[in-house]
């Protein structure tokens, strides 16, 4: 059992390392002079992954629910993303970049919902806290953003992000094959029953609030690098700030279960959303650098609580035989639809205003999401 736990932890390190090597630097990479792209075009490029996630992530979840072969689909998705990520090293024309992003995103968007589904099944059987495994993803992300911040300032440049991401995904896919799947697949459901089981009122209410809260959080991963460089920081500083933020996620993921036990799930979600709004607003005031360091710690607190608590909450809202589909829908709406919209909107705001305007927008939207979560608390009590 301990060996299986270590394997799951290793997979989270690999998947999130690959993301940490790419996502925080992707907008900076395509903003280089050699591409000659406008901020709106860059916003469109980085919005492709979350846009495709809207439709593709639920499909991956449905495939997993119907076949019970979560591991096999995840191996395919990891190898496919690794192979396609290398093609970005040779593309410079806007049209080709967009097409490659579409193909790469189909495989990339499957990683987190599928590994989460495998992990939730495993933790339920082994009676292990999900956060104790998920925090290794945060560690992998932190190591990656720190390493890439240092490497990007060398002769290797930002292009090395795609190469490093591909290598780690291939290694992760090899480790993944050592994880044993459940012998008997979960009960499958025909499409009409699956969708009626997923789209209950409480789940839909949570998704609306989740779009407003998680959208700015995920979009921040793409645009925080531009914010840091706008105040005179280097790519090394970007990586270091992300390292601080993600390392601070780990202890909060570790204790998220205890905090929920004391305060309640919806109270934790609403409180973390309010803190996220305050953090964005403080950044919009262009504080001194020492405050930016403190706000990186705050970001770790927010994400460390929201991610495990929200995922466990989603699992509690639907039937067991459609959990993969529900997680796919949740990922599609939050990391997909919301992130795509905020990525695109952020690019437009930068073009017509500045990166500061982006963080004012994040502030207003995050406050609205926090208020909706409070409304969900009243709805939950009535239910």
């Amino acid at each position: 059992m301990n060996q299986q736990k270590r394997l799951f932890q290793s997979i989270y390190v690999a998947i999130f390392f690959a993301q940490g090597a790419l996502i925080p630097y992707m907008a900076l990479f395509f903003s280089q002079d050699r591409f000659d792209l406008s901020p709106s075009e860059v916003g469109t490029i980085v919005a492709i992954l979350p846009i495709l996630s809207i439709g593709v992530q639920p499909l991956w979840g449905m495939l997993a629910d119907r076949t019970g072969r979560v591991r096999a689909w995840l191996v395919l998705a990891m190898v496919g993303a690794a192979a396609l990520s290398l093609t970005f090293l040779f593309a410079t024309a806007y049209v080709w970049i967009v097409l490659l992003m579409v193909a790469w995103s189909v495989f990339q968007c499957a990683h987190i919902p599928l590994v989460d589904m495998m992990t939730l099944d495993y933790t339920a059987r082994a009676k292990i806290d999900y956060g104790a495994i998920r925090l290794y993803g945060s560690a992998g992300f932190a190591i990656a953003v720190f390493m890439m911040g240092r490497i990007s300032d060398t002769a290797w440049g930002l292009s090395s992000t795609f190469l490093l991401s591909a290598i780690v995904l291939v290694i992760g896919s090899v480790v993944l094959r050592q994880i044993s799947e459940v012998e008997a697949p979960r009960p499958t459901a025909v499409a009409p029953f699956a969708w009626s089981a997923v789209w209950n009122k409480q789940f839909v209410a949570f998704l609306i609030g989740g779009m407003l809260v998680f959208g700015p959080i995920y979009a921040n991963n793409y645009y925080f690098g531009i914010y840091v460089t706008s105040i005179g920081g280097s790519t090394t500083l970007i990586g270091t700030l992300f390292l601080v933020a993600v390392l601070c996620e780990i202890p909060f993921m570790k204790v998220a279960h205890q905090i929920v036990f004391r305060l309640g799930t919806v109270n934790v979600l609403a409180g973390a959303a309010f803190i996220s709004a305050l953090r964005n607003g403080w950044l919009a005031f262009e504080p001194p650098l020492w405050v930016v360091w403190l706000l990186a710690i705050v970001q770790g607190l927010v994400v460390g609580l929201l991610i495990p608590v929200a995922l466990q909450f989603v699992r509690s809202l639907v039937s067991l035989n459609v959990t993969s589909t529900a997680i796919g829908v949740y990922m599609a709406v939050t990391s997909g639809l919301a992130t795509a919209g905020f990525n695109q909107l952020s690019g437009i705001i930068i073009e017509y205003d500045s990166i500061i305007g982006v963080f004012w927008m994040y502030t207003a939207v995050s406050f609205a999401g926090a208020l909706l979560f409070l409304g969900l608390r009243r709805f939950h009590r009535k239910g």
Side-chain angles (χ1 to χ4, degrees):
M1 191 65 71
N2 288 334
Q3 182 183 5
Q4 287 290 295
K5 181 179 178 180
R6 287 193 293 270
L7 289 173
F8 274 103
Q9 292 166 340
S10 300
I11 296 303
Y12 271 96
V13 170
I15 287 176
F16 280 87
F17 185 101
Q19 285 208 351
L22 277 178
I23 289 179
Y25 301 100
M26 192 170 284
L28 280 175
F29 176 78
F30 291 115
S31 296
Q32 294 178 102
D33 292 338
R34 65 190 182 97
F35 293 106
D36 194 27
L37 301 174
S38 68
S40 293
E41 289 174 328
V42 174
T44 299
I45 291 171
V46 298
I48 289 174
L49 172 60
I51 286 174
L52 283 183
S53 298
I54 299 167
V56 176
Q57 279 183 331
L59 292 179
W60 284 107
M62 292 173 67
L63 283 172
D65 279 331
R66 288 176 176 274
T67 63
R69 303 294 303 278
V70 185
R71 187 186 66 179
W73 292 117
L74 183 54
V75 169
L76 173 64
M78 292 174 71
V79 173
L84 286 167
S85 64
L86 297 176
T87 61
F88 288 102
L89 300 176
F90 309 101
T92 55
Y94 177 64
V95 173
W96 282 111
I97 293 172
V98 168
L99 292 176
L100 289 175
M101 280 294 295
V102 170
W104 173 76
S105 297
V106 169
F107 294 98
Q108 180 69 25
C109 69
H111 298 173
I112 296 179
L114 292 184
V115 73
D116 278 342
M117 192 61 252
M118 287 184 64
T119 306
L120 287 170
D121 281 347
Y122 166 72
T123 54
R125 297 193 313 270
K127 293 180 171 42
I128 297 173
D129 181 23
Y130 163 80
I133 295 178
R134 173 60 177 79
L135 62 84
Y136 279 80
S138 297
F141 193 95
I143 294 169
V145 292
F146 180 73
M147 285 182 57
M148 290 314 308
R150 308 280 293 185
I151 295 173
S152 298
D153 280 337
T154 67
W156 288 88
L158 289 166
S159 297
S160 57
T161 59
F162 294 95
L163 178 61
L164 189 59
S165 176
I167 292 172
V168 172
L169 282 178
V170 171
I171 295 173
S173 67
V174 174
V175 175
L176 178 60
R177 293 181 64 85
Q178 300 178 44
I179 294 179
S180 57
E181 285 191 297
V182 183
E183 293 183 4
R186 295 185 308 277
T188 57
V190 295
F193 170 76
W195 287 116
S196 63
V198 169
W199 292 111
N200 62 73
K201 291 181 180 179
Q202 194 171 0
F203 183 53
V204 172
F206 169 74
L207 289 180
I208 295 172
M211 288 174 62
L212 299 178
V213 172
F214 284 101
I217 289 175
Y218 291 135
N220 172 84
N221 290 338
Y222 290 92
Y223 285 95
F224 186 66
I226 293 178
Y227 176 88
V228 173
T229 55
S230 73
I231 61 175
S234 64
T235 52
T236 298
L237 178 60
I238 296 169
T240 307
L241 287 170
F242 268 107
L243 174 67
V244 170
V246 180
L247 286 179
C248 289
E249 294 176 15
I250 296 174
F252 287 101
M253 285 188 177
K254 186 74 173 177
V255 300
H257 179 74
Q258 292 92 320
I259 295 175
V260 167
F261 181 78
R262 288 174 175 268
L263 302 178
T265 302
V266 179
N267 287 333
V268 172
L269 293 173
F274 273 119
I275 294 172
S276 181
L278 291 172
R279 178 256 182 190
N280 290 323
W282 206 342
L283 285 174
F285 278 113
E286 300 182 74
L289 188 58
W290 68 269
V291 175
V292 177
W293 281 92
L294 291 178
L295 294 177
I297 298 174
V298 173
Q299 180 74 356
L301 179 154
V302 169
V303 176
L305 289 178
L306 281 177
I307 288 181
V309 174
L311 187 61
Q312 295 281 15
F313 189 52
V314 168
R315 195 166 186 260
S316 72
L317 295 176
V318 298
S319 304
L320 179 63
N321 62 328
V322 292
T323 49
S324 293
T325 304
I327 290 173
V329 171
Y330 158 70
M331 294 287 184
V333 171
T334 55
S335 64
L337 178 61
T339 309
F342 286 113
N343 278 355
Q344 185 67 65
L345 182 57
S346 298
I348 294 172
I349 291 175
I350 291 173
E351 189 164 349
Y352 291 98
D353 184 16
S354 68
I355 188 65
I356 302 304
V358 170
F359 279 86
W360 278 121
M361 181 265 292
Y362 291 167
T363 302
V365 172
S366 298
F367 266 121
L371 291 173
L372 282 175
F373 276 160
L374 287 177
L376 180 63
R377 180 181 62 179
R378 293 193 296 271
F379 176 85
H380 184 57
R381 284 175 177 172
K382 291 179 181 179

